[in-house]
Amino acid sequence: TGLMVMSLTKAITKNGTLIGVVGLDISLDQFSTSLSSIKIGDTGYVHMFDQDGLIITHPNNSLIGTDQVTNRSYWSKVSSENEGFISYELEDEDYFGSYITSDLTGWKIMASMTEAELTNDTNQILQIVIILFVVLSIACIVTAILFTNVIQGNIKQLIAGFNKMDKGDLSARVSIKSKDEFNLLGTQFNEMVANMGQIIASVSNSSATLLDSANELASMSEETNSSASEVSKAVEEVAHGATEQA
């Protein structure tokens, strides 16, 4: 029929004596068609050949059954290695290939693609990576700037609050809305100023009480001195009257 077939044979023995052979021919036409129809990108394709370089499947049907791969630059490498990558020139165009060897049959399965398409795809991926890198870098920079502005704003509020408190203004308060350590620091600052205000108010009230008590004591002292003066005058008068009577 002129079609590629794969033959499987099995020897039949009886008591160690060969009595016959069973063989089966399997057509590779459908398998070849299926494998050859595989497309890799726009220019890539898959083909297969045996250990001797006989092409079993290929998109170009005129090459099937020939050993043209043995005349190509990569044949010595492919025929001696089980798997790998190659670069070669075919019809004035550079190709990139990847191949692997079947453990069952020893046949080579190779996928090929023009380096121009591979490079184009690689460049597209590189462009996407570069764009993503630039976008992420910008996002990181913007985030860092915003975060830095928030930190600077919180620090400025705290400094302003401490300056007011340093000048004796105990009404100083800070309003930090960020949900971080600065918020806790701002809350503690407000509580500290409030507590200091309460302490100073309490001391002021105590001072006023002490002043009132001192004023009362001074008044009582003046009254006592006045009474003592009057008593002294009375005693002198009595003593003077006693002297005159004597």
Side-chain angles (χ1 to χ4, degrees), residues 100-155:
I100 190 171
T101 303
S102 170
D103 294 332
L104 179 63
T105 63
W107 295 350
K108 306 287 184 177
I109 302 173
M110 179 183 291
S112 299
M113 174 187 286
T114 61
E115 289 191 0
E117 181 179 359
L118 182 64
T119 303
N120 182 58
D121 292 341
T122 304
N123 289 338
Q124 288 181 354
I125 295 174
L126 181 61
Q127 290 176 357
I128 293 174
V129 171
I130 293 175
I131 291 173
L132 288 176
F133 176 77
V134 172
V135 171
L136 290 176
S137 298
I138 294 174
C140 290
I141 293 172
V142 172
T143 302
I145 292 174
L146 293 177
F147 187 69
T148 302
N149 289 338
V150 171
I151 292 177
Q152 288 180 344
N154 292 337
I155 293 175

Side-chain angles (χ1 to χ4, degrees), residues 192-245:
M192 179 187 69
V193 175
N195 291 335
M196 289 182 64
Q198 292 177 358
I199 292 172
I200 291 176
S202 177
V203 170
S204 178
N205 291 334
S206 299
S207 298
T209 302
L210 288 174
L211 181 61
D212 291 341
S213 299
N215 290 333
E216 291 179 0
L217 288 174
S219 177
M220 291 175 61
S221 177
E222 290 178 357
E223 291 178 357
T224 301
N225 289 335
S226 177
S227 299
S229 297
E230 291 179 356
V231 170
S232 177
K233 289 181 180 179
V235 170
E236 289 179 358
E237 290 178 357
V238 170
H240 181 70
T243 301
E244 289 179 353
Q245 292 177 0

Side-chain angles (χ1 to χ4, degrees), residues 25-109:
D25 291 333
I26 302 175
S27 173
L28 296 178
D29 183 58
Q30 183 63 39
F31 175 71
S32 176
T33 301
S34 299
L35 191 63
S36 299
S37 64
I38 297 175
K39 293 285 291 180
I40 303 175
D42 295 327
T43 62
Y45 60 91
V46 177
H47 58 293
M48 183 170 61
F49 45 89
D50 65 11
Q51 303 94 319
D52 299 322
L54 184 68
I55 298 177
I56 300 170
T57 66
H58 198 285
N60 186 351
N61 292 330
S62 64
L63 296 178
I64 296 176
T66 68
D67 60 352
Q68 287 195 19
V69 293
T70 60
N71 299 322
R72 293 176 182 167
S73 59
Y74 59 75
W75 172 246
S76 59
K77 176 178 174 63
V78 173
S79 61
S80 60
E81 298 179 0
N82 289 330
E83 60 182 36
F85 301 94
I86 56 172
S87 295
Y88 61 97
E89 185 177 335
L90 179 63
E91 297 178 352
D92 297 326
E93 192 164 12
D94 294 326
Y95 278 80
F96 176 83
S98 173
Y99 62 91
I100 190 171
T101 303
S102 170
D103 294 332
L104 179 63
T105 63
W107 295 350
K108 306 287 184 177
I109 302 173

